[in-house]
Amino acid sequence: MQTSGRQNTGHVLSVRGSVVDVRFPDRLPDMHNQLVAGDGGRVVLEVVRHLDEQTVRTLALTRVQGISRETPVTDRGVPIQVPLSEAILGRVFNVFGEVLDKGAPVEAQQVRSIHQPSVPLTQQSTETELFETGIKAIDVLSPLERGGKAGLFGGAGVGKTVLIMEMINNMVGEYEGVSMFCGIGERCREAEELYRELQEADVLKNTVLVFGQMNEQPGARLRVGHAALTMAEYFRDEKKQDVLLLIDNIFRFIQAGSEVSGLMGQIPSRLGYQPNLATELAELQERICNTASGAITSIQAVYVPADDFTDPAAVHTFGHLSASIVLSRDRASQGLYPAIDLLQSNSKMLSPEMVGERHYNIAREVRHTLATYEELKDIIAMLGLDELSQEDQRTVRRARQLERFFTQPFFVTQQFTGMEGRTVRRDDALEGCERILNGDFEGVPESAMYMIGDIEEVKRKRSESSRDEETEGADDDPSGAAEGA
C-alpha cells in the first residue's frame, strides 16, 4: 500500500493500554486511517476519534511495546485493507490480510478497505429462500435462510467442528460456493486443529480462514470480522457466488468491543457492556445478506454468559439470528451424530408461509412425538416400556426410530468411520419422517435407521443388521440401542 500524496507525520502524545493519542501538526488523518509507528512500522494504529484540529485518538491493532511519548507516527493515508482474488482460497490470514500459513504472499488483483457499508435495502433480494445444508436434522427441524444468520450453540467435544466442516463440504458441492471461516478470539490450538482437519478432509481449497487470536489486541479482534466480511463480499458481488460465513465466536466480538470501550473511557451501560453495543454489532451483522448476485449465509457460534439469555450480549445477538442450532452432549454420548438437540433447535423459517404446509406439519408432528417420548423417559426408567399403554409404546418406538433416522454419516468423517458420507435432500428427509410417523416401519429394528441417508437405505441397513445379529447378537448393535419393534 502506498501513501497518497506527501507523507503526513506526527508524534505520540500518550499511550494508555491500547489507546494511543497522536498529534499531527500539518493535517488531520481521516477516520479509520492506518497509522504506523516504531521500528519498521511494526506498531499499527487505527484512527477512531478526532479530539481537536491536530489530535486523533487511535486504537492499537498490534502490541504497543517500543513506542512512547514523542515517538514519530506516519499516516499511511488509507484504512486497513485486505487482498481480494481467487488466490486467497485455501489460505489463512490475519486482520491485515497477511498470510499466517507460512506460504507465499498472495498476489492480489485488488485490495479493499475492511470498512464497507451494508448493502442498501433497494439492492437486497426480497425473496426468502431456504438454504439446504444436506443435513437432515437441520433442514427438517431448523431450516436455514439463504442470506440469513444462524446461531450454533455447543460446548467442547460435541461435534461443532465436524458440523462446520460438513457444511463447508456441502456448500462446495451443492451451491458451488465458497466458505469463509472467521475466528474471533480463537485459541491458537483450535485454529491449528481446524486448519489441519480441513486439510485432511480436502475442503481447505474452497475455504478462506481469517483469525484474530485470543492473545491479540482487542482492536484486532474487533476488526477481524470486518476483514472476513470484506473477503466474503468480494466473492458474492464480483464472483457471483454464494458464501457460507462461519464465525466462532460472535460473543468474543462483543467482548472485544467492551474492552475497547473501556479503554476509550466511555461510560458503560448495563452489566459493563459498551454503550454502542447494538450499533457495533449491527454494523457487522447487517453486511450479511443476499443480493441479486449471490448471498452470504452465516452460521455463528454463540456463547451465552452464565447461561443467562437475558444478558445484553445474548439479547442483541438473538435479534439478528433467524435460526438456532443447539448441540446436545447427551446425544453425543449415545453416539447419535450429528448431536443436534432436536427439540431445542428452532428456526423462524419453520412456518407454513416459508417452508410450506407439508413441511411444517411434518416438523410439528416430529417435535410432538419426540417431546412425548422425553416426558415418558422417567416412567420407562422406573417401570419399563411394557407398563406403558399401546399408544405410548407406539409413540416411543417411532420417536426412537426418528432419533436414529436423524443421524447421518458425514463426508468429512468417512476416513475415520469407514462409512460413506451422505447428503440428503430436504424432500427425501421429509418423506422419511412422514413414513416413520405413519407407522410404515413398525416391524423394523431401530438399528436399521442408524447412520443412513434417505429412508430407502433402510432395506440395505436392515439386511446388514440381520447378518450382524446372527453372528454377534443384538446387544452389539452399533447404535447402542438395538431393540425390536
Side-chain angles (χ1 to χ4, degrees), residues 112-166:
R112 186 180 298 170
S113 166
I114 66 171
H115 298 282
Q116 298 292 330
S118 58
V119 178
L121 284 173
T122 53
Q123 297 177 22
Q124 293 186 23
S125 174
T126 56
E127 294 182 4
T128 302
E129 298 178 54
L130 287 179
F131 177 83
E132 284 195 25
T133 63
I135 299 169
K136 291 179 286 190
I138 295 176
D139 290 341
V140 173
L141 296 175
S142 185
L144 305 186
E145 179 185 4
R146 183 173 175 265
K149 295 169 274 287
L152 179 61
F153 304 83
V158 294
K160 182 174 64 177
T161 302
V162 173
L163 195 60
I164 285 173
M165 288 194 298
E166 184 71 6

Side-chain angles (χ1 to χ4, degrees), residues 217-238:
Q217 295 296 303
R221 287 181 270 126
L222 185 65
R223 298 299 186 217
V224 71
H226 295 279
L229 261 169
T230 302
M231 294 179 179
E233 287 166 346
Y234 164 78
F235 286 104
R236 179 193 66 190
D237 299 335
E238 299 194 22

